[in-house]
Amino acid sequence: MLKIRYPLDSELANSIREMRPPKELHVNVRNLVLKVGKGAVLRKGDIVAEHPSKGVGAFHASACGKVSGVNYHSLTVKCSGGEETVDPVNVETMGKGLELLRALQGLGVDAALFKGGAEVLVVNGQNPEPGISVAQQLLRDGREEIHAGLQMARRLLSPGRTVLAVPKGEETSIPGAETVGVKAKYPYSLDALVVRAVTGREFPEDVRVVNVMDLYDLGKVVLTGLPITETLMSIAGHNYRVPIGTPVRHILDALHMAAGPGDIVVLGGPFRGEAIYSLDQGVKKGDHGLFITSSDSIPAVQDAACINCGECVLQCPARIQPHLISRCAEYERFDEAVRYGLNSCFECGLCAFNCFARRPLLQYIRFAKAQILAKGRETRS
Ligand code: SF4
Ligand code: SF4
């Protein structure tokens, strides 16, 4: 077994940089419910789409402009350069019931994360993947927002214990939470493994995990009353504040980066991120990294046959059999995929990253989960 360590800690030399505003936004609206149409004139912060599932935060315009096109995948906004923003909503004065959760959801917060109670609230302060240092940066430079976010999270969840999980040996702390050190190696940044490290239990129902980026967004909403319109991204060793919907092409131009023919551009991290099919694709809430893999550095992922080497099984921290599950998913035998442990997969991506046949194992797993979810929705409606 090839045992490679994937470190999560980074050197933070600079403060957060601002991305140059784009002339056009491409807001990803696939599978969302549109709230505006072609020709609509938008202020910064106007709602453009909502998620069909209850509890997922709404999506907003990150700049003033006019909707110039809508298709199944994206909504295009021609930015006007205007300064007009929506009116702030004071969520601090609201009670802690449904009204507050609805208001937060309308401001882009995933309210489902903060619904109901929890015995333990774990703040995941680890960088999500190698090469991404946004958590570390926010714990250093976004303390006011994180503190406000934690106060709101504690108000909503009333946890008996609040823990901040940070890389072992780090001194970081936030008021109201005890600090626990966890391994600073991927995949130990994933929620399921952070929870196991903190509580000693696997998938406990009374534990809620919120990562530092979501807590920062929540705190910013609390402090400003304005919706979430940007995401923090690690790009080529620096962290940038990027308006949601900024086309990848704009980011590459602004930072003098280039993607050649056959290169793979990934939004997210090297293990769990998604390769984009067009440089016009806009960044989404929760995209925390942008990477380019050159065409000659690694063989392309392909629908090759599994050679039964067993490497994916050895790598899998969930102790399931990715080769079997992915084959079931490939042939749409979803019930069997579930029997083999599909739902125990926490999508670390180690199986696909290490597959000698370069099979798209994580993509098959995500496909199976999405199909099962869609079927469930169809049955309910
Ligand atoms: S992505 Fe692959 S390695 Fe990771 S938990 Fe799922 S099946 Fe296991
Ligand atoms: S690592 Fe790839 S080739 Fe090897 S068993 Fe797993 S799926 Fe098959």
Side-chain angles (χ1 to χ4, degrees), residues 190 312 315-322 325 344-352 361-362 365:
L190 297 179
C312 56
Q315 294 280 349
C316 177
R319 305 186 299 272
I320 53 178
Q321 303 193 55
I325 295 173
S344 296
C345 165
F346 39 77
E347 301 184 21
C348 69
L350 279 168
C351 51
L361 301 175
L362 179 58
I365 286 169

Side-chain angles (χ1 to χ4, degrees), residues 305-313 323 351 354-357 359 361:
C306 167
I307 56 171
N308 285 321
C309 66
E311 184 64 25
C312 56
V313 182
H323 64 311
C351 51
N354 288 285
C355 173
F356 291 116
R359 280 174 57 74
L361 301 175

